[in-house]
Each structure stands twice: as structure tokens, then as C-alpha cells.
Amino acid sequence: MEESESASDKPRPWQSYHTIYTNAKAGMDGVDKEKVQRVVYEMSKGSKYFENEERKEAFIRQKIEHMRARAAKLSAADLSHYQKVADKRILELESTRDLSRIWLHVDMDAFYAAVETLSNPSLKGKPMAVGSMSMISTANYEARKFGVRAAMPGFIARKLCPDLIFVPTDFKKYTYYSDLTRKVFWDYDPNFMAASLDEAYLDITKVCEERSITGAEIAEELRSRVHEETGLTCSAGVAPNRLLAKVCSDINKPNGQFVLPNDHMAVMTFISSLPIRKIGGIGKVTENILKGVFGISTCEEMLQKGSFLCALFSHSSADFFLSVGLGLGGTDTPEARFRKSISSERTFSATEDAALLYQKLADIAEMLSADMQKEGLSGRTLTLKLKTASFEVRTRAVTLQKYISSSDDILKHASNLLKAELPISLRLIGLRVSHFNEDKGVVPGDPTQKTLTTFLISGDASRRTGDDQRSLGSDLSDLHFISEKETAISLDNNETCHHEFGDPFERKHLSDIDDKNCISSINACEMEKIDELSSNKTAAMVNTADVKERTTKSPKRDLSRVSEDDSSIQREPEDSNPDRLNKEPSTSGNEEFFSLNQMEMLFWVDGYKCSLCGAELPPSFVEERQEHSDFHLAERLQKEESGTGSSSLIPRLRIVPKDYSGSQNRRKKHKSAHLPIDSFFTK
Ligand code: TTP
Ligand code: MG
């Protein structure tokens, strides 16, 4: 009956209701998109979530109109000028093309779901999702046929697929299997870059050369070795750069691979018809704007519309778009990316003897200081890396007001960072200094995020009960200027590779504009030059005094006040990113400001764990993360207003199949605390 209704001539309001849920992931090609749209529409209609989605849609429409008007105002002379600018830039970018490296991107298939199926083979062939009725982390390929996908509320998924089996998340298991895959990756590239638990970038140039073997052969071999070691399948993409390798790994999912040869023609042909949405960093909003304003649907069209892009977007955004049009992407090796920092680390047998740990720290500080002095370096950001006895990698950082290089200074600040972690059993300690004195970093400001900021802050850490919600950490995720460097955070052994080097070609070109009515954020608007000005004017700033007061409720948050002379907020500047939406006013007197970066850190504990429900979403899942925080806020507002949480958006039941009821307690502890609505808004 539902089907026939959708086929009738009745108005179909859901057709213009686009959420992340209707964006296909691998395995969803044959899905009835309209049906998914309708179910999502009907299930959320009238809810706060729905209202927010509508506001976001309206905002995008307004944005498109606004940009169209600006584009229409460009005179022939303007366009001819910008055409020259674009042509020049295209030539410059083209000259940076490096076809000498072979990159492999590997991504596990339906990772969490596949791991769960390994431990319970009875799930095989049945539609299942990992997560709960409120949110699912992923779905297996059987469930995807129904339109069920990651980051979708479980009750919507269940509506789409009534037989859907829910399995609670078990991060320990995923980490265990992730470690097994990483051991395999290591054999092909010891400097591999892990982007999340289930994906990694490997520079396989050397191994291909050494073994006189093609990228395709390495991909085959690596995939079968991963399968042997784990029983899980993965997919791989091989290409001349990381951006393309990632696109390629999705092409033949699941359990497949796609190779794009290191050949200029092949790259251009590949890119010519590639939909822009396939590119990491181009999400729904960017896609809508590019399509709606300039009619750009494929990567190649970025080049054709170069004059408009150069006229209307900031330099770095225009560069990114033109690079996409040329099929360029990051090719540098991890070693090269270390140039912006200097580090030293030591592995030892696991110990929890604090005195011993301090001694090791002192040795490392000594070595690091010697290296820095050899190179005449001093830096402002100090990062402590720890690997626990159970192989969990954590990083904690502090940005200081003065540059340091002496072992005494390094040790003093490093000790403070370590102290906050004790007691702890460690097998590795590392120290890194970055933000060197020749850097001209400007820390990002807080563009108009009053509402969301306060919401995130009020997601009170002291109420959280997840396993390791230790601190704000050093994690550098800034949803709005995410570059590849941030994609590893503390999930992996190799995470330090990612932190300090902006990769202009893998930046997520997203930003938030939070107009007062919009619960959450809208992406992509940072791209527009005009917004840089307007949002500066309206930037809402949150006094950290207030925040500090709240954070002191949680002893685990003390890292935000490491010492008197430290800047109280953990941040690492992104000097490589010239496209700041807001230049933060210098922090004079007692005034300090929260940037989006810090907001992100507050919401995403350790850079990847949701502070409200414990779901783990690394920064590479930009859209999913945004959707997730939107969802929580809508959920809370909804509950507040309805008193009982009676809306269709808020599931009252948590359905977990009997077999898994044992794990229910574990999930319960992730349930969010409910705060009064006032706490979400700055009065
Ligand atoms: P993905 O690689 O995006 O998804 P997947 O591995 O489940 O499926 P496939 O790659 O075959 O398309 O994400 C990896 C894991 O990250 C996923 O299994 C669960 C987790 N995750 C979330 O928790 N929330 C999310 O929104 C997404 C997208 C992933
Ligand atoms: Mg995957």
C-alpha cells in the first residue's frame, strides 16, 4: 500500500527532503531512493530534527540564491580577468602533479557488521545493523539493500527493514580486528596512514619497486592477507594519489579493488565523469551549491567553471576545486610530512611505575631538545603521545604562549601532560614539538556558534561514562577545516603522521554557519569570500571562564588548565590553511574564546568519541559527525519539549535481540544524560 501511494499523483513533499540517509553508500545502488526519502520524511516529520533539516535546506537555498546573484553581477571584464586567474592557477597546479607514487587506500567492508558476523555466524546473510534504535553505526550489505545505512537512527532503519537485527557496538572487538589489519598494512608500508579503525592509506611505491610487482598485485595480495589474518574482507583502490585512491576503493566494494594507472590521460578520463560528491571533502552542501549555482556535477566541470570559482570562492577553496578538476591529491610521504614538527619517542616494556615513566619522559625531552637545538628550532605546541599497555594510542597537547626548545621547558610541560594521565601503564612515550617559531599561525576563531557551542559544552563530561573520556586531548579535529592530518587522531599507531601537515588536496571544505534558528551547522559556507567578512562581524564568542567553571566539575578535563602560562585551550594551529573563516582576536586580558576546533574537541572526546553516547566517529566522517551532533541536539530539544520523549523521532524502546541482551548494560552506560533545555543556550 505504501508503495502505491508513492507512485500516485499526490504531492510528495519528501522529494525535496534530503538528508544524509538518502545518500548512497556502497551496496545501495539499487535502493528505492524515493522510498527511503519518504520513510525518513514520515518518521521525522514534526520533530526538532526535521525542523532543523528544513532550516538547513532553506539556508542552502538562500545561499544558492545569494551566490547566483553574485555570479550574475560579474561583468564580462570580471569574468575574463578571473578566467586568466583560473588558467594561471590551473597551470601552476598542473606543474605540481606527481605521478611517481603509487597509493593504495584500503577500507574494510561493512566493518563493524562484518566483525559481529564473525563472532556470530548465524547473522550471516541476514540484514543487520550495529548500533541501537537511536543510532546505527553501520549496516551489512543485506540491510543496505533496504536503504539502511550508517549514521541513520535505528528506528528509521527498522521501518525501512522490519526484519533488521540490531547488534550493540563493541569497540574493543573492532579495535582488536583493526590492529590485526594494521599488522598486515605495516608489511607493505610501515608509515601507513590510518584514517579510521577500518581504513588506511599506504604508499606502496617502494614495495612495488622492490618486488617488481604492480599495484594491482599488491592490492590483491594485501586483501587476501587481511582475509587470512582476520576472516574479514576489504576493498582497495590504487591510484597516483590519496584522494583518487580513496575514490577507487569504493568502486568495487565489497571485496573488490580498482586500479587507476599512474598516467595523466587515465587520470583525466577517470575524473571527467566522476560525480563531485565522490570526492572526500565534498558533502551535501558543497555539492548543492556547486550544482545549484554553477551547474557543476562532475569533477571535470570544475575546470570549465574555473573563472566563477576563482571569482566567488577564497583562494584555497578555488584551489581545492581546481585540483579536484585536475585529479590531483596528496602524494607526499609521511616522512616529508614531518617537516612541520620534530619528535622523539621510545618504546619499552609496559610499566605503570610513575617514577620510571617520568624518567623516560626526561630522557625523551633531552633527546628532543638536542635534536631541536641542532636544527635551531623552537616551537609552541608540545604533544605527548602515549601508547598504553593495551596498545591504545593517546595524544595530549598544549600550546604555549612562548616558544620552547630547552629540555627543562619541554620536560616541565610534558610532565604536566603526563601527570594528568596517571596512573597508567604505558609501553611507549613520545614527544613532539610543532608550531615552530617561523610559523605565522593564526588560530581559528569561533564563527557564530553560540547555540551549538553551548550545547556541546553542556554535553557535560562529568556525566559521561564512556571508557576513556579522559580529556580534551590534543586532537585537532576541526570539522570545518579538516585536513587529512586530522584523520587519524588517537586511533592508531601512526597517528602522528597526520597531525601536523595540512594537505590542501584532502581538506574537507566544510564550514559552519549557525544562524540563530539553525540547531546545527551548515557546511561549505566558509568557501565564500563574502562570508569571511560577515561572519567575522557576527562571531559569537563564549567566554571560557564559564566553560572552565563547568569543566572543573570533571576532574578529567583538567588538561584545559595545564599551567598558568599555558594557553588554556588545546589547539594546534593549521598554518597551512590560509582559508580562515575567522581570525581570532588576540586573547587579551582574561578574555579567551572557543573556536570550532575546541567545540569539536568538547563534543568528540579524544577526537572521535561522542561525548553524549560514546559512539565513535573519527573526523574523516565529516557528514556523519555533523548529522550525529544534530541528532543529539534535536533529540534533547525534543525530549525537553515533549517531556516524555513521545515524538516519532525519539524511540522509546531500545530493541536488542535476545541473543545480545548481555551487552545491553554495556550500551546503557553510553546513554546521554538529559540536561535542561536552558543549558543548551547562552542566555
Ligand atoms: P565505513 O568504512 O564508512 O563503513 P563500513 O566499513 O561499515 O562499510 P563499507 O566500507 O563497506 O561501505 O565505516 C567504517 C566503520 O566506522 C563502520 O563499520 C562503523 C563506523 N561508522 C560509524 O560508527 N558511524 C558512521 O556514521 C560511519 C559512516 C561509520
Ligand atoms: Mg569500511
Side-chain angles (χ1 to χ4, degrees):
M1 182 202 151
E2 288 178 357
E3 292 307 319
S4 63
E5 258 177 30
S6 81
S8 78
D9 291 337
K10 284 184 188 165
R12 289 184 259 179
W14 51 85
Q15 282 186 319
S16 58
Y17 184 59
H18 299 284
T19 66
I20 190 173
Y21 314 131
T22 48
N23 181 41
K25 265 181 86 72
M28 296 178 74
D29 286 346
V31 171
D32 179 348
K33 222 174 159 177
E34 176 159 357
K35 182 181 171 192
V36 177
Q37 257 175 317
R38 180 164 54 84
V39 170
V40 174
Y41 177 84
E42 282 166 358
M43 295 293 287
S44 56
K45 198 166 60 183
S47 69
K48 290 287 168 196
Y49 175 83
F50 182 85
E51 283 171 24
N52 189 44
E53 288 301 306
E54 288 211 314
R55 280 190 207 109
K56 289 199 286 188
E57 284 292 328
F59 184 89
I60 297 168
R61 280 197 298 274
Q62 198 187 336
K63 198 89 209 157
I64 290 174
E65 284 316 310
H66 176 64
M67 283 201 90
R68 271 196 193 137
R70 292 183 61 219
K73 277 193 199 141
L74 291 170
S75 65
D78 289 336
L79 282 174
S80 138
H81 165 73
Y82 282 110
Q83 188 60 56
K84 283 187 195 122
V85 172
D87 291 345
K88 181 166 174 268
R89 200 58 198 130
I90 288 171
L91 278 179
E92 284 164 0
L93 289 167
E94 180 58 54
S95 73
T96 68
R97 189 185 295 279
D98 177 5
L99 289 169
S100 69
R101 315 297 312 171
I102 307 174
W103 279 93
L104 182 149
H105 179 253
V106 54
D107 188 304
M108 303 303 292
D109 301 323
F111 184 49
Y112 293 5
V115 169
E116 294 301 341
T117 308
L118 264 189
S119 39
N120 180 356
S122 76
L123 292 168
K124 218 171 179 176
K126 296 178 189 155
M128 68 87 100
V130 175
S132 68
M133 286 298 271
S134 105
M135 187 61 71
I136 62 177
S137 294
T138 196
N140 65 7
Y141 280 75
E142 285 78 5
R144 291 184 198 193
K145 290 180 196 147
F146 296 84
V148 175
R149 58 152 289 161
M152 180 180 264
F155 60 96
I156 293 181
R158 163 103 6 140
K159 178 84 178 170
L160 289 168
C161 175
D163 294 332
L164 188 66
I165 299 171
F166 287 84
V167 178
T169 40
D170 183 347
F171 296 115
K172 261 203 180 132
K173 247 193 249 172
Y174 315 140
T175 310
Y176 171 78
Y177 281 98
S178 176
D179 285 348
L180 292 182
T181 65
R182 287 171 187 190
K183 283 191 186 123
V184 177
F185 303 160
W186 195 88
D187 285 345
Y188 295 88
D189 176 9
N191 295 312
F192 73 87
M193 301 158 66
S196 68
L197 279 184
D198 92 321
E199 61 177 314
Y201 294 90
L202 285 71
D203 181 351
I204 54 169
T205 319
K206 204 165 150 204
V207 70
C208 285
E209 272 166 19
E210 281 170 2
R211 295 175 52 192
S212 301
I213 187 171
T214 64
E217 287 165 321
I218 292 286
E220 287 284 0
E221 185 185 297
L222 177 142
R223 288 176 40 237
S224 75
R225 280 203 50 208
V226 166
H227 189 249
E228 274 163 30
E229 296 296 328
T230 62
L232 301 167
T233 65
C234 61
S235 300
V238 177
N241 61 55
R242 290 188 293 275
L243 180 132
L244 293 174
K246 180 160 170 85
V247 175
C248 291
S249 68
D250 208 49
I251 293 177
N252 287 320
K253 249 183 180 301
N255 200 14
Q257 63 183 55
F258 183 89
V259 178
L260 179 60
N262 283 36
D263 172 83
H264 190 186
M265 263 311 269
V267 170
M268 293 315 285
T269 308
F270 180 77
I271 218 73
S272 66
S273 56
L274 189 70
I276 52 175
R277 185 65 183 272
K278 297 278 179 195
I279 300 292
I282 299 190
K284 181 176 91 169
V285 180
T286 310
E287 181 191 32
N288 281 346
I289 290 176
L290 292 177
K291 263 190 191 161
V293 182
F294 312 103
I296 297 175
S297 301
T298 64
C299 296
E300 189 182 44
E301 285 161 355
M302 300 274 200
L303 298 184
Q304 291 156 12
K305 303 285 172 161
S307 55
F308 285 98
L309 298 175
C310 289
L312 297 178
F313 291 107
S314 63
H315 289 303
S316 69
S317 295
D319 267 9
F320 171 72
F321 294 139
L322 295 177
S323 303
V324 165
L326 291 166
L328 298 174
T331 57
D332 53 334
T333 57
E335 291 89 342
R337 272 175 276 118
F338 267 101
R339 263 180 246 124
K340 290 205 95 183
S341 74
I342 185 160
S343 58
S344 186
E345 65 182 44
R346 255 194 188 181
T347 305
F348 41 86
S349 328
T351 175
E352 55 185 335
D353 180 337
L356 208 57
L357 293 175
Y358 278 117
Q359 184 51 53
K360 303 232 178 261
L361 192 68
D363 294 346
I364 297 163
E366 192 77 47
M367 287 189 304
L368 182 59
S369 171
D371 287 348
M372 287 178 74
Q373 278 161 22
K374 256 187 246 157
E375 297 193 31
L377 293 170
S378 58
R380 263 190 348 117
T381 298
L382 178 70
T383 303
L384 172 71
K385 174 181 168 182
L386 305 173
K387 192 186 282 179
T388 65
S390 56
F391 292 93
E392 179 201 353
V393 177
R394 294 180 193 174
T395 55
R396 305 288 183 247
V398 62
T399 296
L400 310 164
Q401 280 173 358
K402 60 173 193 173
Y403 293 97
I404 57 167
S405 63
S406 74
S407 57
D408 284 352
D409 280 345
I410 294 173
L411 184 59
K412 179 176 109 189
H413 296 291
S415 300
N416 282 335
L417 295 175
L418 179 62
K419 194 167 148 196
E421 302 301 310
L422 295 175
I424 191 167
S425 178
L426 296 175
R427 57 174 73 246
L428 176 147
I429 297 181
L431 283 174
R432 181 175 76 238
V433 173
S434 55
H435 192 184
F436 294 142
N437 49 4
E438 72 267 18
D439 295 347
K440 297 179 190 66
V442 186
V443 287
D446 173 14
T448 71
Q449 288 294 317
K450 200 172 196 170
T451 315
L452 185 57
T453 305
T454 320
F455 160 62
L456 297 178
I457 292 161
S458 67
D460 187 347
S462 62
R463 300 192 184 215
R464 286 186 272 112
T465 49
D467 352 330
D468 175 33
Q469 291 157 341
R470 187 74 44 122
S471 79
L472 305 184
S474 67
D475 300 328
L476 313 171
S477 54
D478 180 341
L479 179 62
H480 317 285
F481 297 101
I482 285 174
S483 51
E484 188 181 333
K485 65 184 178 177
E486 290 138 353
T487 56
I489 303 302
S490 51
L491 291 176
D492 66 293
N493 298 344
N494 293 21
E495 94 295 349
T496 49
C497 303
H498 308 262
H499 279 193
E500 55 273 85
F501 308 98
D503 183 339
F505 300 130
E506 295 186 20
R507 177 181 307 134
K508 306 287 186 271
H509 275 254
L510 304 170
S511 176
D512 275 9
I513 295 292
D514 181 31
D515 99 333
K516 277 217 178 65
N517 299 318
C518 222
I519 287 176
S520 179
S521 42
I522 303 287
N523 291 339
C525 307
E526 129 273 2
M527 301 181 300
E528 215 183 336
K529 286 172 181 170
I530 196 164
D531 284 338
E532 295 187 16
L533 303 171
S534 62
S535 52
N536 265 340
K537 280 188 217 144
T538 55
M541 293 170 287
V542 176
N543 192 330
T544 47
D546 179 32
V547 174
K548 275 183 182 174
E549 199 185 302
R550 295 180 210 211
T551 54
T552 50
K553 284 178 197 155
S554 164
K556 291 183 170 182
R557 292 191 152 203
D558 275 357
L559 255 185
S560 64
R561 292 170 289 110
V562 168
S563 80
E564 293 299 323
D565 62 338
D566 294 335
S567 74
S568 64
I569 293 162
Q570 312 296 301
R571 62 161 70 97
E572 203 155 312
E574 293 177 62
D575 300 335
S576 58
N577 185 351
D579 197 19
R580 297 268 178 262
L581 177 55
N582 294 283
K583 310 290 184 217
E584 181 173 296
S586 64
T587 52
S588 57
N590 292 328
E591 256 186 332
E592 293 166 301
F593 303 96
F594 256 83
S595 71
L596 288 171
N597 201 347
Q598 286 106 43
M599 269 178 12
E600 271 278 287
M601 292 194 297
L602 288 171
F603 190 77
W604 296 104
V605 180
D606 289 343
Y608 66 98
K609 274 184 205 162
C610 171
S611 56
L612 299 180
C613 70
E616 302 198 0
L617 266 181
S620 50
F621 295 114
V622 176
E623 278 193 274
E624 286 83 1
R625 278 164 68 116
Q626 193 177 323
E627 207 58 41
H628 192 87
S629 53
D630 281 8
F631 179 82
H632 275 310
L633 182 52
E635 186 182 45
R636 281 164 171 245
L637 293 173
Q638 191 81 50
K639 280 184 180 168
E640 273 308 316
E641 286 197 0
S642 66
T644 56
S646 59
S647 150
S648 61
L649 181 69
I650 310 302
R652 267 169 291 179
L653 290 174
R654 290 173 40 75
I655 298 180
V656 177
K658 271 189 205 137
D659 301 1
Y660 305 101
S661 55
S663 314
Q664 223 167 343
N665 288 342
R666 198 168 45 237
R667 286 291 303 167
K668 258 187 193 160
K669 63 178 186 171
H670 287 312
K671 271 192 140 182
S672 55
H674 304 304
L675 302 179
I677 197 164
D678 287 1
S679 61
F680 301 142
F681 299 96
T682 305
K683 292 256 172 70

